[in-house]
């Protein structure tokens, strides 16, 4: 058992596991991999219509029994392809945008002429090798510097699924943008550069490989596909040995973060530049026996979603275009055109004037889809709800936090920036209520005066403003968070109780 699983999933007996010993960890993992994983709530479990999400209590008037609505919603959904959000994460320059751009070309989202145009323009800027990334890096700054800043977004379809690609920035200055992307993802794709020296830099402390993997896990991503990229590079040359070396170095860390190395992880050697192993198997790499990337993600089991649950759509962004347009992922429930909804925490009543699902106008949007709604004025981090079943809001809450990285001790009064679903709030630690012993999982008696790196504590936090949240047990997507300070992720946490 590892510190993240222990911490994030600590709801019962698994809290008693130890975290220190590597060997023990491996043994335990073997065991866990044989058994059904009950410690990590998978997206399926989290979104199951049957139990986990149901406990959210209506805060306005009671909502009608969900079982009545079940049949029609499931029927309507059957006519649509399953939506899956895939976030591309990894160290700067690993090749995330290049792979994303190549996938758009291979799936017919960008045509050859547009790519040739990008190639000519990129050449003029002496950025020839970057032309594929231009399909996703659409603004001038990104193209001039060759670095993604905003999470790029594009979609493509396979026979079974409708994929939305979220191309996260790898540079450490843009981690908050990356968190926004990861918060919406069902599946994460970690891109690693196998090029000599680049893998090593990306994986060192301070490299974004570790932080991104950890943040994706915190955001609730269950499956991680690792694309070992730049296999065509002359320092790699499709070497199986280099592929295995990268994999072996990553695995102990992945385990620590809480991924089951056999069930949740899959490694694929690829080249974003040549497109090898992205859509069709690459014959010059006979030692890789698995499917190419797109086939692999198409064949992953379906995510069972909470389509019949209460309507929850954290607002990711907004812009004005003859009215206010809200962007976000529908985490549960469905929205129909003309519906009268409430935006929390301000309790603004709004009417849905128009709906787009991945840029196509639609009369209805379902759970898991990326939605644009035209309504009146609201802010990112607000949550769209039904009038009969509002989400919770508060300023003061108790949470379990684990300090990942902080040089000095942390005392009450300490302030940090809380990232929870799409909300970003300044919070202050009021008191520490207890410490959790990592070995026994037991709570210590008495209030600690301070906590330090690697400790797990229960703390009372206070935000400056009222914001939307749920307890982790009721609704994990809106109950897990990250605390950041001075541009670094210092802690991850889960909400225990709203006060
Ligand atoms: N040889 C080789 N170079 C690649 C490959 N994929 C990407 N590159 C190069 O790596 C550089 C960075 O690629 P990007 O796609 O912009 O990387 P990124 O991960 O999106 O970078 P950020 O957005 O800044 O985090 C570019 O020069 C690409 O041409 C590959 O498969 N092989
Ligand atoms: Mg990029």
């Amino acid at each position: 058992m590892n510190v993240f699983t222990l911490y994030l999933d600590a709801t019962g007996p698994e809290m008693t596991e130890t975290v220190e010993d590597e060997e023990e960890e491996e043994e335990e993992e073997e065991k866990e991999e044989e058994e059904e994983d009950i410690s990590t709530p998978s997206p399926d479990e989290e979104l199951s219509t049957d139990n986990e999400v149901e406990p959210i209590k209506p805060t306005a008037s009671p909502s009608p029994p969900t079982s009545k609505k079940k049949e029609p919603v499931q029927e309507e959904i059957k006519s649509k392809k399953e939506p899956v959000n895939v976030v591309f994460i990894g160290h700067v320059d690993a090749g995330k945008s290049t792979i994303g751009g190549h996938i758009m070309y291979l799936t017919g989202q960008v045509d050859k002429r547009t790519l040739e145009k990008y190639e000519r323009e990129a050449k003029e800027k002496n950025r020839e090798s970057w032309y594929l990334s231009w399909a996703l890096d659409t603004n001038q700054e990104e193209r001039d510097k060759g670095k993604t800043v905003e999470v790029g977004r594009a979609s493509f379809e396979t026979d079974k699924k409708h994929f939305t690609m979220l191309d996260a920035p790898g540079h450490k200055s843009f981690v908050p943008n990356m968190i926004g992307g990861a918060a919406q993802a069902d599946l994460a794709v970690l891109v690693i550069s196998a090029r000599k020296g680049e893998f090593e830099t990306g994986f060192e402390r301070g490299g974004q490989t570790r932080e991104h993997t950890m943040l994706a896990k915190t955001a609730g991503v269950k499956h991680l596909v690792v694309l070992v990229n730049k296999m065509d590079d002359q320092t790699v040359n499709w070497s199986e040995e280099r592929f295995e070396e990268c994999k072996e170095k990553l695995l102990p860390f992945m385990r620590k973060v809480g991924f089951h190395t056999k069930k949740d992880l899959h490694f694929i050697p690829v080249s974003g530049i040549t497109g090898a192993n992205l859509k069709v198997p690459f014959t010059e790499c006979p030692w890789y026996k698995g499917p190419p990337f797109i086939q692999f993600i198409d064949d992953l089991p379906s995510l069972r979603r909470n389509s019949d649950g209460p309507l929850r759509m954290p607002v990711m962004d907004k812009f004005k275009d003859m009215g206010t347009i809200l962007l976000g992922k529908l985490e549960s429930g469905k929205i129909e055109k003309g519906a009268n909804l409430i935006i929390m925490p301000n309790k603004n009543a709004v009417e849905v004037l128009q709906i787009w699902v991945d840029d196509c106008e639609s009369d209805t949007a379902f759970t898991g889809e990326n939605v644009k709604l035209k309504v009146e004025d609201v802010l990112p981090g607000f949550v769209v709800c039904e009038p009969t079943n509002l989400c919770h809001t508060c300023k003061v809450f108790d949470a379990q936090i684990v300090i990942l990285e902080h040089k000095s001790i942390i005392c009450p009064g300490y302030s940090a920036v809380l990232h929870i679903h799409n909300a970003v709030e300044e919070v202050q630690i009021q008191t520490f209520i207890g410490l959790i012993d990592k070995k026994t999982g037991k709570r210590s008696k008495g209030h600690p005066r301070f906590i330090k790196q690697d400790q797990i504590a229960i703390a009372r936090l206070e935000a400056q403003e009222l914001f939307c949240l749920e307890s982790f047990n009721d609704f994990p997507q809106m109950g897990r968070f990250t605390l950041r300070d001075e541009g670094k992720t210092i802690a991850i946490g889960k909400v225990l109780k709203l006060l």
Side-chain angles (χ1 to χ4, degrees):
M1 183 61 61
N2 53 69
V3 71
F4 289 87
T5 311
L6 171 92
Y7 166 69
L8 275 173
D9 310 324
T11 48
E14 63 274 16
M15 292 265 321
T16 52
E17 317 244 9
T18 62
V19 284
E20 308 291 310
D21 192 320
E22 280 278 326
E23 262 175 47
E24 227 174 282
E25 240 171 54
E26 273 177 37
E27 267 173 41
E28 285 198 13
E29 197 197 2
E30 291 295 308
K31 254 195 278 160
E32 276 166 37
E33 285 177 357
E34 279 160 31
E35 290 163 15
E36 187 44 23
D37 171 18
I38 48 154
S39 60
T40 311
S42 70
D44 315 5
E45 287 163 347
E46 285 166 18
L47 294 170
S48 150
T49 43
D50 304 328
N51 36 43
E52 267 86 351
V53 185
E54 212 87 337
I56 296 183
K57 302 279 184 306
T59 47
S61 58
S63 56
T66 49
S67 54
K68 274 191 194 157
K69 282 194 286 174
K70 207 164 193 160
E71 288 277 307
V73 176
Q74 294 304 343
E75 278 308 307
E76 280 176 74
I77 292 173
K78 268 189 205 155
S79 62
K80 285 194 167 188
K81 287 188 180 178
E82 185 188 356
V84 180
N85 288 327
V86 185
V87 66
F88 283 69
I89 57 173
H91 192 68
V92 65
D93 281 354
K96 300 174 287 299
S97 308
T98 303
I99 291 174
H102 212 129
I103 289 175
M104 286 173 74
Y105 171 62
L106 293 172
T107 54
Q109 304 302 310
V110 180
D111 58 27
K112 206 167 172 77
R113 273 182 49 199
T114 313
L115 272 192
E116 281 165 4
K117 182 171 152 272
Y118 289 162
E119 198 170 356
R120 274 196 311 277
E121 289 172 12
K123 204 169 180 176
E124 280 164 24
K125 293 189 184 220
N126 281 333
R127 291 213 162 265
E128 198 176 349
S129 71
W130 259 266
Y131 77 99
L132 280 161
S133 69
W134 281 22
L136 281 153
D137 289 341
T138 46
N139 77 40
Q140 209 52 45
E141 184 191 353
E142 290 177 324
R143 290 181 174 184
D144 289 347
K145 299 201 173 132
K147 305 232 172 322
T148 306
V149 177
E150 306 265 340
V151 176
R153 190 181 274 269
S155 54
F156 66 94
E157 290 204 340
T158 56
D159 290 344
K160 290 181 247 169
K161 294 178 182 161
H162 178 98
F163 288 100
T164 301
M165 284 193 286
L166 305 161
D167 175 32
H171 196 274
K172 60 176 181 292
S173 316
F174 310 127
V175 170
N177 294 355
M178 178 271 162
I179 295 174
Q184 311 203 2
D186 302 307
L187 173 72
V189 177
L190 174 68
V191 180
I192 299 288
S193 167
R195 183 184 278 163
K196 198 170 175 205
E198 282 190 5
F199 168 74
E200 286 73 12
T201 316
F203 194 51
E204 278 164 8
R205 283 213 172 271
Q208 253 47 56
T209 306
R210 285 167 193 269
E211 188 174 19
H212 278 196
T213 310
M214 200 172 77
L215 291 169
K217 180 73 187 168
T218 316
V221 164
K222 166 99 171 119
H223 282 282
L224 184 72
V225 182
V226 185
L227 295 182
V228 181
N229 189 33
K230 307 201 185 181
M231 290 297 292
D232 64 292
D233 188 80
Q234 52 190 8
T235 63
V236 186
N237 214 0
W238 293 94
S239 147
E240 183 177 6
E241 211 183 324
R242 177 63 166 165
F243 176 79
E244 289 298 329
E245 182 193 350
C246 298
K247 190 171 158 181
E248 288 312 313
K249 285 188 175 154
L250 286 166
L251 281 177
F253 170 71
M254 303 287 182
R255 243 177 247 142
K256 251 195 181 133
V257 174
F259 287 105
H260 287 254
T261 48
K262 287 185 195 132
K263 276 196 301 190
D264 307 340
L265 291 178
H266 186 72
F267 288 77
I268 310 179
V270 300
S271 165
I273 288 265
T274 69
N277 265 344
L278 291 182
K279 192 166 180 226
V280 288
F282 182 54
T283 46
E284 285 168 51
C285 177
W287 48 264
Y288 173 69
K289 307 282 185 237
F293 174 63
I294 295 179
Q295 191 187 325
F296 179 78
I297 57 173
D298 197 28
D299 289 343
L300 279 175
S302 279
L303 306 157
R304 268 183 298 124
R305 298 187 187 270
N306 192 25
S307 329
D308 297 298
L311 168 55
R312 295 288 185 268
M313 182 191 125
V315 174
M316 185 193 74
D317 205 355
K318 63 150 195 172
F319 60 89
K320 292 227 186 253
D321 181 16
M322 317 228 320
T324 295
I325 314 280
L326 307 181
L327 272 82
K329 178 182 166 197
L330 199 52
E331 292 289 3
S332 112
K334 75 169 190 173
I335 302 180
E336 277 172 343
K337 194 169 157 182
N340 289 305
L341 304 176
I342 303 284
I343 313 275
M344 297 292 282
N346 295 8
K347 298 199 177 162
N348 283 355
V350 291
E351 189 190 340
V352 179
L353 307 172
Q354 247 173 313
I355 301 177
W356 293 265
V357 173
D358 267 324
D359 294 330
C360 296
E361 201 168 343
S362 173
D363 286 341
T364 324
F366 296 102
T367 308
E369 288 181 327
N370 290 297
V371 183
K372 276 189 217 154
L373 303 179
K374 186 185 265 192
V375 294
E376 291 110 69
D377 209 20
V378 278
L379 292 171
F382 285 11
V383 177
V384 182
C385 307
E386 282 149 327
T388 51
N389 189 336
L390 302 179
C391 71
H392 291 94
T393 58
C394 72
K395 275 189 183 177
V396 184
F397 62 99
D398 289 345
Q400 189 172 309
I401 55 175
V402 59
I403 308 300
L404 303 172
E405 206 184 330
H406 200 266
K407 290 202 185 79
S408 50
I409 58 167
I410 292 179
C411 302
Y414 175 82
S415 291
V417 179
L418 172 85
H419 290 256
I420 184 164
H421 55 90
N422 292 117
V424 181
E425 294 291 331
E426 171 99 22
V427 291
Q428 194 178 52
I429 295 178
Q430 285 187 338
T431 47
F432 293 113
I433 298 167
L435 273 184
I436 304 279
D437 185 312
K438 283 200 279 183
K439 288 210 166 37
T440 63
K442 295 222 169 69
R443 206 171 120 177
S444 64
K445 290 206 182 89
H447 292 215
R449 282 187 297 123
F450 62 85
I451 56 168
K452 52 185 197 281
Q453 187 162 321
D454 294 328
Q455 282 187 324
I456 303 179
I458 297 179
R460 181 154 296 173
L461 294 111
E462 181 171 8
Q464 286 177 347
E465 308 277 343
L466 202 65
F467 70 104
C468 299
L469 76 172
E470 302 285 3
S471 78
F472 181 84
N473 278 346
D474 282 352
F475 202 91
Q477 298 94 321
M478 288 176 62
R480 53 164 80 86
F481 62 83
T482 310
L483 285 181
R484 305 191 85 238
D485 187 20
E486 291 176 356
K488 276 200 198 120
T489 300
I490 57 141
I492 54 173
K494 62 176 186 176
V495 177
L496 300 178
K497 197 162 92 188
L498 318 185
L499 298 166

